[in-house]
Amino acid sequence: MKEYPKLYNLKENCCGCTACASICPKECIYMEFDDEGFMYPRVDYNKCINCYMCKSVCPFKVMEGINGNVKNYV
Ligand code: SF4
Ligand code: SF4
């Protein structure tokens, strides 16, 4: 079975755009505020079906695919 998606490793590799949460067909990604008031996605793995649509729309993953210069995002 595919691994559950990990959307980012470092905060600098997530801009909180909410694209992943918007596209998730199971609505299992929710945005949470950190202590500084920035939003980051969290996945409810109990509902996730490993479709990876969240990763396919993430601008950081797309940039990585194009020019390979975004590191440590997983
Ligand atoms: S893999 Fe699919 S179901 Fe799981 S969080 Fe991403 S978009 Fe949602
Ligand atoms: S799509 Fe990527 S950059 Fe946007 S909130 Fe989700 S993980 Fe962060």
Side-chain angles (χ1 to χ4, degrees), residues 2-8 19-21 23-24 29 43 51-63 73-74:
K2 233 179 185 178
E3 279 183 35
Y4 288 118
K6 187 164 185 182
L7 292 170
Y8 63 95
C20 52
I23 201 154
C24 176
I29 300 178
V43 179
C51 68
Y52 274 51
M53 288 177 72
C54 50
K55 294 191 84 159
S56 74
V57 295
C58 177
F60 284 82
K61 281 62 165 177
V62 172
M63 281 195 309
Y73 74 92
V74 170

Side-chain angles (χ1 to χ4, degrees), residues 9-57:
N9 249 358
L10 303 173
K11 284 183 173 178
E12 67 197 48
N13 290 332
C14 173
C15 63
C17 70
T18 75
C20 52
S22 297
I23 201 154
C24 176
K26 300 300 285 182
E27 298 183 352
C28 58
I29 300 178
Y30 55 98
M31 305 299 292
E32 250 184 12
F33 285 100
D34 71 1
D35 293 341
E36 295 173 324
F38 294 104
M39 288 195 304
Y40 293 94
R42 296 286 293 266
V43 179
D44 179 351
Y45 293 118
N46 292 316
K47 294 197 284 181
C48 176
I49 56 171
N50 292 343
C51 68
Y52 274 51
M53 288 177 72
C54 50
K55 294 191 84 159
S56 74
V57 295

